[in-house]
Amino acid sequence: MLGFAAHVPHYIARSTYPAAAVVILEAAQSATGLVLPGSELRARVNEVYAEIEDQLSQGDGELRTAIQGMESQYDAVSGAADRESLLAETADLPSADELGRRFEEFLAEHERGAE
């Protein structure tokens, strides 16, 4: 039995996010050797990324800064750039309290910079 996982940014978890489906599709292909259709799905990934960028560009600077900060923090903690599989290794992730504390610190620094 095989299982696959794909991360979806929490701020778009209730939206269509085909990049996660592509990750699962490619993992299934790699594990089984099957060649599965996915060109339309891959094309939709770029469309969704463009939509997200458009919405972020219409949002205020605080929104963009907060999202970029959370993504950078996730990448730093998870080492996402250095591994292919989310299940390939374990990592000590911060607790919800620690994430909350770091986010509050980030917001406080941002407010100090705006003054």
mmCIF file of all heavy atoms in Angstrom, residues 12-35:
data_model
loop_
_atom_site.group_PDB
_atom_site.id
_atom_site.type_symbol
_atom_site.label_atom_id
_atom_site.label_comp_id
_atom_site.label_asym_id
_atom_site.label_seq_id
_atom_site.Cartn_x
_atom_site.Cartn_y
_atom_site.Cartn_z
ATOM 1 N N ILE A 12 -4.876 29.177 1.239
ATOM 2 C CA ILE A 12 -5.674 28.833 0.052
ATOM 3 C C ILE A 12 -6.236 27.420 0.153
ATOM 4 O O ILE A 12 -6.668 26.849 -0.840
ATOM 5 C CB ILE A 12 -4.866 28.999 -1.254
ATOM 6 C CG1 ILE A 12 -3.608 28.164 -1.228
ATOM 7 C CG2 ILE A 12 -4.590 30.438 -1.554
ATOM 8 C CD1 ILE A 12 -2.910 28.117 -2.548
ATOM 9 N N ALA A 13 -6.273 26.872 1.343
ATOM 10 C CA ALA A 13 -6.694 25.479 1.527
ATOM 11 C C ALA A 13 -8.129 25.224 1.080
ATOM 12 O O ALA A 13 -8.466 24.104 0.723
ATOM 13 C CB ALA A 13 -6.525 25.077 2.992
ATOM 14 N N ARG A 14 -8.966 26.231 1.050
ATOM 15 C CA ARG A 14 -10.356 26.030 0.629
ATOM 16 C C ARG A 14 -10.557 26.371 -0.843
ATOM 17 O O ARG A 14 -11.678 26.402 -1.319
ATOM 18 C CB ARG A 14 -11.287 26.881 1.482
ATOM 19 C CG ARG A 14 -11.321 26.411 2.914
ATOM 20 C CD ARG A 14 -12.304 27.194 3.712
ATOM 21 N NE ARG A 14 -12.268 26.739 5.086
ATOM 22 C CZ ARG A 14 -13.281 26.817 5.896
ATOM 23 N NH1 ARG A 14 -14.403 27.358 5.496
ATOM 24 N NH2 ARG A 14 -13.176 26.383 7.133
ATOM 25 N N SER A 15 -9.478 26.632 -1.547
ATOM 26 C CA SER A 15 -9.537 26.963 -2.968
ATOM 27 C C SER A 15 -8.960 25.817 -3.792
ATOM 28 O O SER A 15 -8.307 24.933 -3.272
ATOM 29 C CB SER A 15 -8.727 28.235 -3.243
ATOM 30 O OG SER A 15 -9.222 29.315 -2.505
ATOM 31 N N THR A 16 -9.183 25.890 -5.070
ATOM 32 C CA THR A 16 -8.591 24.916 -5.976
ATOM 33 C C THR A 16 -7.090 25.161 -6.021
ATOM 34 O O THR A 16 -6.651 26.290 -6.210
ATOM 35 C CB THR A 16 -9.200 25.074 -7.385
ATOM 36 O OG1 THR A 16 -10.604 24.878 -7.291
ATOM 37 C CG2 THR A 16 -8.605 24.080 -8.352
ATOM 38 N N TYR A 17 -6.304 24.113 -5.836
ATOM 39 C CA TYR A 17 -4.845 24.235 -5.836
ATOM 40 C C TYR A 17 -4.259 23.051 -6.594
ATOM 41 O O TYR A 17 -3.854 22.048 -6.013
ATOM 42 C CB TYR A 17 -4.323 24.297 -4.390
ATOM 43 C CG TYR A 17 -2.874 24.698 -4.291
ATOM 44 C CD1 TYR A 17 -2.450 25.955 -4.691
ATOM 45 C CD2 TYR A 17 -1.930 23.813 -3.800
ATOM 46 C CE1 TYR A 17 -1.116 26.320 -4.600
ATOM 47 C CE2 TYR A 17 -0.593 24.172 -3.695
ATOM 48 C CZ TYR A 17 -0.201 25.432 -4.095
ATOM 49 O OH TYR A 17 1.122 25.802 -4.003
ATOM 50 N N PRO A 18 -4.230 23.148 -7.928
ATOM 51 C CA PRO A 18 -3.792 22.006 -8.740
ATOM 52 C C PRO A 18 -2.328 21.630 -8.545
ATOM 53 O O PRO A 18 -1.947 20.499 -8.870
ATOM 54 C CB PRO A 18 -4.068 22.470 -10.171
ATOM 55 C CG PRO A 18 -4.129 23.946 -10.103
ATOM 56 C CD PRO A 18 -4.636 24.279 -8.735
ATOM 57 N N ALA A 19 -1.499 22.508 -8.004
ATOM 58 C CA ALA A 19 -0.093 22.151 -7.779
ATOM 59 C C ALA A 19 0.016 20.944 -6.848
ATOM 60 O O ALA A 19 0.890 20.089 -7.033
ATOM 61 C CB ALA A 19 0.672 23.343 -7.215
ATOM 62 N N ALA A 20 -0.869 20.854 -5.867
ATOM 63 C CA ALA A 20 -0.862 19.695 -4.967
ATOM 64 C C ALA A 20 -1.244 18.426 -5.726
ATOM 65 O O ALA A 20 -0.648 17.363 -5.518
ATOM 66 C CB ALA A 20 -1.812 19.928 -3.803
ATOM 67 N N ALA A 21 -2.216 18.529 -6.621
ATOM 68 C CA ALA A 21 -2.613 17.368 -7.414
ATOM 69 C C ALA A 21 -1.477 16.917 -8.328
ATOM 70 O O ALA A 21 -1.274 15.716 -8.524
ATOM 71 C CB ALA A 21 -3.864 17.701 -8.234
ATOM 72 N N VAL A 22 -0.717 17.869 -8.867
ATOM 73 C CA VAL A 22 0.414 17.517 -9.722
ATOM 74 C C VAL A 22 1.474 16.771 -8.915
ATOM 75 O O VAL A 22 2.061 15.791 -9.390
ATOM 76 C CB VAL A 22 1.004 18.773 -10.413
ATOM 77 C CG1 VAL A 22 2.340 18.465 -11.073
ATOM 78 C CG2 VAL A 22 0.025 19.322 -11.440
ATOM 79 N N VAL A 23 1.730 17.212 -7.684
ATOM 80 C CA VAL A 23 2.696 16.519 -6.825
ATOM 81 C C VAL A 23 2.262 15.078 -6.604
ATOM 82 O O VAL A 23 3.075 14.147 -6.709
ATOM 83 C CB VAL A 23 2.863 17.270 -5.473
ATOM 84 C CG1 VAL A 23 3.612 16.423 -4.465
ATOM 85 C CG2 VAL A 23 3.549 18.602 -5.692
ATOM 86 N N ILE A 24 0.990 14.878 -6.311
ATOM 87 C CA ILE A 24 0.465 13.522 -6.089
ATOM 88 C C ILE A 24 0.538 12.702 -7.384
ATOM 89 O O ILE A 24 0.952 11.535 -7.370
ATOM 90 C CB ILE A 24 -0.987 13.569 -5.558
ATOM 91 C CG1 ILE A 24 -1.055 14.314 -4.225
ATOM 92 C CG2 ILE A 24 -1.580 12.172 -5.466
ATOM 93 C CD1 ILE A 24 -0.308 13.665 -3.086
ATOM 94 N N LEU A 25 0.157 13.310 -8.490
ATOM 95 C CA LEU A 25 0.213 12.628 -9.783
ATOM 96 C C LEU A 25 1.633 12.169 -10.101
ATOM 97 O O LEU A 25 1.859 11.011 -10.473
ATOM 98 C CB LEU A 25 -0.298 13.554 -10.885
ATOM 99 C CG LEU A 25 -0.262 13.016 -12.309
ATOM 100 C CD1 LEU A 25 -1.311 11.929 -12.493
ATOM 101 C CD2 LEU A 25 -0.473 14.144 -13.305
ATOM 102 N N GLU A 26 2.603 13.051 -9.920
ATOM 103 C CA GLU A 26 3.992 12.700 -10.214
ATOM 104 C C GLU A 26 4.528 11.645 -9.246
ATOM 105 O O GLU A 26 5.291 10.766 -9.647
ATOM 106 C CB GLU A 26 4.857 13.962 -10.209
ATOM 107 C CG GLU A 26 4.543 14.854 -11.405
ATOM 108 C CD GLU A 26 5.265 16.186 -11.393
ATOM 109 O OE1 GLU A 26 5.920 16.531 -10.375
ATOM 110 O OE2 GLU A 26 5.165 16.899 -12.405
ATOM 111 N N ALA A 27 4.122 11.701 -8.000
ATOM 112 C CA ALA A 27 4.545 10.676 -7.034
ATOM 113 C C ALA A 27 3.959 9.323 -7.411
ATOM 114 O O ALA A 27 4.653 8.295 -7.335
ATOM 115 C CB ALA A 27 4.118 11.075 -5.623
ATOM 116 N N ALA A 28 2.696 9.304 -7.831
ATOM 117 C CA ALA A 28 2.065 8.049 -8.249
ATOM 118 C C ALA A 28 2.744 7.494 -9.495
ATOM 119 O O ALA A 28 2.977 6.281 -9.604
ATOM 120 C CB ALA A 28 0.573 8.274 -8.506
ATOM 121 N N GLN A 29 3.072 8.365 -10.422
ATOM 122 C CA GLN A 29 3.774 7.923 -11.636
ATOM 123 C C GLN A 29 5.138 7.350 -11.290
ATOM 124 O O GLN A 29 5.540 6.302 -11.804
ATOM 125 C CB GLN A 29 3.941 9.092 -12.626
ATOM 126 C CG GLN A 29 2.655 9.510 -13.277
ATOM 127 C CD GLN A 29 2.834 10.641 -14.272
ATOM 128 O OE1 GLN A 29 2.182 10.608 -15.291
ATOM 129 N NE2 GLN A 29 3.679 11.618 -14.020
ATOM 130 N N SER A 30 5.858 8.029 -10.415
ATOM 131 C CA SER A 30 7.190 7.583 -10.018
ATOM 132 C C SER A 30 7.129 6.240 -9.294
ATOM 133 O O SER A 30 7.960 5.363 -9.521
ATOM 134 C CB SER A 30 7.839 8.642 -9.130
ATOM 135 O OG SER A 30 9.094 8.221 -8.684
ATOM 136 N N ALA A 31 6.141 6.075 -8.447
ATOM 137 C CA ALA A 31 6.040 4.848 -7.653
ATOM 138 C C ALA A 31 5.555 3.653 -8.469
ATOM 139 O O ALA A 31 5.922 2.517 -8.181
ATOM 140 C CB ALA A 31 5.110 5.071 -6.467
ATOM 141 N N THR A 32 4.725 3.911 -9.483
ATOM 142 C CA THR A 32 4.116 2.809 -10.219
ATOM 143 C C THR A 32 4.688 2.596 -11.618
ATOM 144 O O THR A 32 4.479 1.535 -12.204
ATOM 145 C CB THR A 32 2.601 3.048 -10.369
ATOM 146 O OG1 THR A 32 2.395 4.227 -11.175
ATOM 147 C CG2 THR A 32 1.921 3.195 -9.022
ATOM 148 N N GLY A 33 5.356 3.599 -12.153
ATOM 149 C CA GLY A 33 5.848 3.511 -13.524
ATOM 150 C C GLY A 33 4.772 3.794 -14.555
ATOM 151 O O GLY A 33 5.032 3.729 -15.762
ATOM 152 N N LEU A 34 3.575 4.117 -14.124
ATOM 153 C CA LEU A 34 2.495 4.450 -15.053
ATOM 154 C C LEU A 34 2.725 5.836 -15.641
ATOM 155 O O LEU A 34 3.333 6.700 -15.008
ATOM 156 C CB LEU A 34 1.145 4.440 -14.328
ATOM 157 C CG LEU A 34 0.675 3.106 -13.763
ATOM 158 C CD1 LEU A 34 -0.579 3.301 -12.930
ATOM 159 C CD2 LEU A 34 0.413 2.119 -14.897
ATOM 160 N N VAL A 35 2.232 6.036 -16.821
ATOM 161 C CA VAL A 35 2.238 7.360 -17.443
ATOM 162 C C VAL A 35 0.788 7.836 -17.432
ATOM 163 O O VAL A 35 -0.057 7.283 -18.138
ATOM 164 C CB VAL A 35 2.792 7.314 -18.881
ATOM 165 C CG1 VAL A 35 2.713 8.688 -19.522
ATOM 166 C CG2 VAL A 35 4.223 6.794 -18.884
#
